[in-house]
Amino acid sequence: PVRRLWNELCYLCALINDPDLSRWAHQYVTLRAIKARPAKGPTLSGVEGTAEPRPLLSLLQSYVNRGQQVVALGEPGAGKTTTLEALAYHLARRAYRWQLMMWVIFLATLTLLIIHFSPLWALLLLAIPLFDFVFRRWPLPLLIELRHYEGGAMEDFLKRTVARRVGGQTLSDGLRGYVERGRLVWLLDG
């Protein structure tokens, strides 16, 4: 698990340094969601049909934070792709910062225990599987452009697409495991 978790951190670092995504760190144009309601139940404001227009990026982030699915529909050129790219960047940056902080704390603690010849460092190594549980708070964003799908098995297409992303080969190799552990946020751009 240590190698996989380290590779996740490298993937996130590559995403936030990807020029296609990092441009949205400061250049994002705020789009407003006119109608925003979950597939079932009331709108975000609590009353059916009365949701105030909200920035689309903020709206999508709130759905991701709650682990809910959401669909953004709009006319061509309305900014859906731009919003998904900005969302991927912001999710990657947040996950990278938190995971980096966790790694620093872990390695500093491990170093201190080893320097002081404490046998407790072995117990710390046993805690590594807990990283998966903790890191679920900061899922890995995967931006998939569906317009490149040319038929065939969807899993193969997804693996190829993820592998082409900067740093994505590691994720591609273990894609099924990431899906099963709930570690991914799928950002599908039609």
Side-chain angles (χ1 to χ4, degrees), residues 55-83:
L56 185 56
L57 183 59
S58 169
L59 181 69
L60 293 176
Q61 284 176 326
S62 68
Y63 275 98
V64 168
N65 291 340
R66 292 192 309 265
Q68 294 180 310
Q69 297 177 358
V70 64
V71 175
L73 301 172
E75 297 294 321
K80 299 176 298 296
T81 299
T82 299
T83 301

Side-chain angles (χ1 to χ4, degrees), residues 4-14 95-96 99-100 103:
R4 181 177 41 78
L5 292 171
W6 181 257
N7 287 334
E8 287 178 15
L9 188 67
C10 293
Y11 168 76
L12 291 168
C13 182
Y96 177 77
Q99 286 191 19
L100 184 61
W103 273 106

Side-chain angles (χ1 to χ4, degrees), residues 4 16 23 112 132 172 187:
R4 181 177 41 78
I16 62 176
R23 64 184 167 160
L112 288 173
D132 257 347
S172 177
L187 305 173

Side-chain angles (χ1 to χ4, degrees), residues 40-123:
K40 297 178 182 176
T43 61
L44 293 176
S45 65
V47 181
E48 189 69 38
T50 63
E52 290 292 319
R54 289 180 54 187
L56 185 56
L57 183 59
S58 169
L59 181 69
L60 293 176
Q61 284 176 326
S62 68
Y63 275 98
V64 168
N65 291 340
R66 292 192 309 265
Q68 294 180 310
Q69 297 177 358
V70 64
V71 175
L73 301 172
E75 297 294 321
K80 299 176 298 296
T81 299
T82 299
T83 301
L84 285 179
E85 287 175 350
L87 179 61
Y89 174 80
H90 288 283
L91 291 173
R93 187 178 66 186
R94 181 179 68 180
Y96 177 77
R97 287 179 177 172
W98 281 105
Q99 286 191 19
L100 184 61
M101 183 183 71
M102 294 296 292
W103 273 106
V104 167
I105 291 170
F106 173 77
L107 293 174
T109 304
L110 182 62
T111 302
L112 288 173
L113 289 174
I114 290 173
I115 288 173
H116 293 292
F117 304 107
S118 173
L120 293 176
W121 70 268
L123 292 176

